[in-house]
Amino acid sequence: MTESTTRVAIVTGGSRGIGRSIASRLAADGFAVVVGYAGRKDLADEVVGDIETAGGQAMSAQADVGDEQAVTALFDAAETTFGGVDVVAHSAGTMPLATVADFDLAVFDELVRTNIRGTFVVAQQAARRLRDGGAVITLSSSVTALSFPRYGGYAATKGAVEALTLILARELRGRNITVNSVAPGPTATDLFFEGKDQDTIDRLAAQPPLERLGTPEDIAGVVAFLAGPQGRWVNGQLIRANGGII
């Protein structure tokens, strides 16, 4: 492993949606970025290509976030290629929707594995391996407070993410590592649009006082603030990035 003064960020779920925007923004801010992906290597490599075309440094790395060996290998790859890890932005997650009464428990178990276990596994490696002065940013969801029907399983996992994040911030006392969670509201991604008719989309877009859906770039800006020098006094917090919807 070569030592490097370049700040290095791992972005899980970095091949699309909010994670893709986070990876691009952190690269623009000078980070060498490891674009973590679950299955779409082609999309992750597109992100890497865009970053490199813009003059940045990036690599893609596959990892099932629920698999501790795969996540360990992800951190290994970051250290081997770029010299260490300073920031982890954990954006990987899934969002199957159903009422509590009708939720398939096999689907729920996979949801828990990805969103809760995956966050715990990534947080565990971050706690063990981040360089002092780093930052951990998890992604929650404003739906934990909005309480939309059919989001019960998803919101339950994101409540767990929030609890874990705030506790980890306190456990890392003495290392100058900040740990925060960003909770987007309705955001214009493929994951959000999936299964929604236009009336539902329009209704959700009209709810915030700013009267629009969020964009992945809106969320990436908040993450970049927390990852950068201006965000160093924000620690152990949940930040709702939702245009004022709640």
Side-chain angles (χ1 to χ4, degrees), residues 19-226:
R20 183 174 187 140
S21 289
I22 292 170
S24 297
R25 173 58 189 271
L26 292 181
D29 288 350
F31 285 87
V33 178
V34 179
V35 180
Y37 68 94
R40 292 296 302 272
K41 177 174 170 56
D42 57 329
L43 295 180
D45 287 345
E46 278 184 15
V47 181
V48 170
D50 290 345
I51 289 171
E52 291 179 339
T53 297
Q57 300 180 73
M59 62 173 287
S60 64
Q62 193 276 337
D64 168 3
V65 293
D67 180 339
E68 64 271 28
Q69 293 182 343
V71 173
T72 298
L74 177 65
F75 277 76
D76 288 344
E79 291 177 350
T80 299
T81 304
F82 295 126
V85 182
D86 300 285
V87 168
V88 172
H90 179 53
S91 180
T94 61
M95 192 176 67
L97 303 180
T99 64
V100 172
D102 294 332
F103 213 114
D104 184 314
L105 290 179
V107 174
F108 180 73
D109 288 344
E110 284 301 311
L111 173 64
V112 167
R113 183 182 184 280
T114 299
N115 289 11
I116 300 181
R117 178 183 168 85
T119 301
F120 194 96
V121 170
V122 170
Q124 184 175 71
Q125 285 298 309
R128 292 172 176 174
R129 302 174 69 169
L130 246 64
R131 293 189 282 209
D132 291 356
V136 179
I137 304 103
T138 64
L139 272 288
S140 180
S141 172
S142 290
V143 78
T144 58
L146 291 166
S147 303
F148 290 147
R150 302 183 71 246
Y151 281 78
Y154 177 72
T157 67
K158 291 303 186 178
V161 168
E162 293 176 8
L164 171 62
T165 303
L166 304 191
I167 290 169
L168 182 61
R170 286 146 182 84
E171 290 183 346
L172 296 184
R173 174 183 291 272
R175 292 178 55 192
N176 193 30
I177 293 173
T178 62
V179 188
N180 295 285
S181 192
V182 176
T187 305
T189 65
D190 290 342
L191 187 65
F192 169 79
F193 289 124
E194 186 176 342
K196 294 182 176 68
D197 60 30
Q198 192 60 48
D199 286 345
T200 299
I201 293 167
D202 292 344
R203 186 176 70 255
L204 289 169
Q207 286 187 10
L210 298 181
E211 296 185 317
R212 66 173 176 85
L213 295 174
T215 67
E217 292 75 22
D218 289 328
I219 310 307
V222 178
V223 172
F225 167 74
L226 294 171

